[in-house]
Amino acid sequence: MVASLFLPRILRVGGGAAGELGDVVAGLGLRRPLLVTDAFLSGTGAAERLMATLRDAGLQPCLFAGTVPDPTTDSLGAGLTVLREHGADSVIGFGGGSPVDTAKALALLGVQGGRMRDYKAPHTNLGPALPVIAVPTTAGSGSEATQFTIVTDSATDEKMLCSGPAFLPVAAVVDFELTLSMPARLTADTGVDALTHAVEAYVSRRANPFSDGLALNAIRSIGRHLRRVYADGADTEAREAMMLAATQAGVAFSNSSVALVHGMSRPIGAHFHIAHGLSNAMLFPAVTAFSVPAAESRYADCARALGAATDGDSDAVAAGKFVEALRTLCQDLEVPTPQAHGIDKDEWSRLSLLMAEQALASGSPANNPVVPTVEEIQDLYAQIYA
């Protein structure tokens, strides 16, 4: 098998890397970046500090702080207006997955126009698009290193997966110091998101030796550090390890793919407005138990990397231990069920068929070791509710 691999051209990784953002952008020959972020990072002064870094490098940046959690097609309009008025030649995504995904969408629409629906999977987007530079502030989405963006269609509540090299950042500045203020809940949810990326990249039908190594390294590091950083957000060693693992997992799944957990997670986020990492965590143990029979040895490798099994365990035993380890991890991180999160049972049941259909339509479940039917997805939704 020949794997087609895509990575950012430039990766700056390490504490203090954000201070080099201006040099990175200038080094790419760009002069008028649009910094895309959210109201929180603007309010803390973090966005202005990056703006100063850009100005100090002789650039003419402009700030757009109007991104929303789980970006929607409606939320993109204001950003496009600012991008065009500024005459931006590049877009910087600063924040968690939502600002980075918004930056990617603006970079494409700013050049090609049209609607995001025109670019959703299975369409592969080759460009053209403005260059994107990503500066993540959470250790989870991996969006700084992927050729994907997720935007919800405001008219239908469909969370659309849009993919292709046009969405791959040309550069990523990965600075763990930006994650030090993350609260415990966000730390847990983004950490499980990164673990899901790594595991699904490894068990995906599109896995390859390049993505395998990164995925296993990420699983190993997350197994050692996620509980530590959840318990103590000031643990800088654990923060740095989680940030690197999230980026490694992002590179892995960008060059392999995610699978059923993500396919089922997106509709939950769209219809019930649950954070993406949290909806992944709600699904992760049950979907893994469903998928194990078709990829026992691969899940066994994940178990050994996570520290849940030993080399002396058979693949069957190790894979079983992996499912139990995920259940225990979610308990330790206090992941609620949909019911405990406050979702109405009747509404959950009413939407389960539509969510199952949307999950399948996204294409991600086709990469799963077991490709499910609509009925099997509905059953999984029912299993995780309470």
Side-chain angles (χ1 to χ4, degrees):
M1 180 184 73
V2 176
S4 295
L5 306 173
F6 298 89
L7 292 88
R9 189 189 312 170
I10 297 169
L11 276 164
R12 295 278 179 100
V13 181
E20 300 181 7
L21 176 63
D23 293 338
V24 170
V25 177
L28 290 166
L30 304 169
R31 291 291 176 267
R32 298 183 64 82
L34 176 67
L35 181 67
V36 175
T37 190
D38 56 31
F40 174 78
L41 288 169
S42 177
T44 64
E48 179 51 40
R49 286 192 289 275
L50 277 194
M51 291 286 285
T53 297
L54 295 167
R55 287 191 288 264
D56 288 346
L59 308 177
Q60 296 177 274
C62 179
L63 177 66
F64 173 68
T67 68
V68 300
D70 295 321
T72 65
T73 50
D74 283 351
S75 74
L76 298 177
L80 276 173
T81 298
V82 175
L83 182 144
R84 288 167 176 154
E85 288 178 350
H86 180 58
D89 62 5
S90 51
V91 187
I92 300 169
F94 175 50
S98 293
V100 176
D101 279 359
T102 298
K104 292 178 177 183
L106 295 178
L108 184 76
L109 293 174
V111 174
Q112 295 199 41
R115 308 167 303 164
M116 282 308 296
R117 175 161 290 279
D118 301 330
Y119 305 106
K120 75 170 189 172
H123 184 71
T124 299
N125 298 282
L126 302 176
L130 294 176
V132 173
I133 300 92
V135 186
T137 61
T138 63
S141 77
S143 189
E144 68 274 7
T146 74
Q147 51 182 323
F148 305 110
T149 191
I150 310 291
V151 178
T152 298
D153 189 320
S154 300
T156 64
D157 274 340
E158 178 188 359
K159 211 166 187 179
M160 300 181 293
L161 170 65
C162 305
S163 65
F167 296 118
L168 180 70
V170 67
V173 176
V174 183
D175 185 344
F176 79 90
E177 293 177 358
L178 297 173
T179 71
L180 291 174
S181 61
M182 286 171 59
R185 181 73 267 149
L186 183 59
T187 296
D189 295 344
T190 54
V192 175
D193 191 22
L195 181 60
T196 311
H197 292 152
V199 171
E200 291 205 307
Y202 191 73
V203 303
S204 165
R205 290 167 175 255
R206 296 172 57 194
N208 57 77
F210 178 84
S211 61
D212 283 353
L214 289 164
L216 289 175
N217 277 336
I219 293 168
R220 190 173 296 111
S221 187
I222 293 168
R224 293 172 179 168
H225 297 101
L226 179 51
R227 284 182 177 87
R228 274 177 54 180
V229 78
Y230 178 65
D232 179 9
D235 185 336
T236 55
E237 182 182 56
R239 285 286 190 198
E240 184 169 18
M242 286 299 299
M243 192 66 156
L244 179 58
T247 298
Q248 289 175 327
V251 175
F253 88 80
S254 183
N255 289 287
S256 172
S257 66
V258 288
L260 182 55
V261 174
H262 275 75
M264 291 180 64
S265 177
R266 296 186 199 104
I268 295 175
H271 293 287
F272 296 102
H273 309 293
I274 295 177
H276 174 68
L278 181 55
S279 57
N280 276 351
M282 291 174 172
L283 290 159
F284 203 5
V287 172
T288 300
F290 169 79
S291 305
V292 156
E296 196 171 72
S297 67
R298 302 290 281 186
Y299 282 108
D301 290 342
C302 293
R304 296 180 186 109
L306 190 67
T310 69
D311 291 341
D313 290 319
S314 69
D315 285 350
V317 168
K321 286 184 175 181
F322 185 62
V323 175
E324 289 306 312
L326 293 182
R327 291 191 178 118
T328 301
L329 177 64
C330 289
Q331 289 170 1
D332 291 348
L333 299 179
E334 301 177 275
V335 175
T337 64
Q339 181 182 47
H341 194 67
I343 295 176
D344 179 74
K345 184 176 183 179
D346 290 340
E347 189 71 357
W348 182 265
S349 298
R350 184 182 71 81
L351 287 170
S352 67
L353 175 58
L354 175 60
M355 291 196 298
E357 291 171 342
Q358 289 177 337
L360 274 180
S362 74
S364 297
N367 303 316
N368 204 58
V370 178
V371 179
T373 64
V374 167
E375 292 75 21
E376 287 171 326
I377 295 177
Q378 283 185 276
D379 180 62
L380 286 166
Y381 280 135
Q383 283 182 40
I384 72 159
Y385 176 77

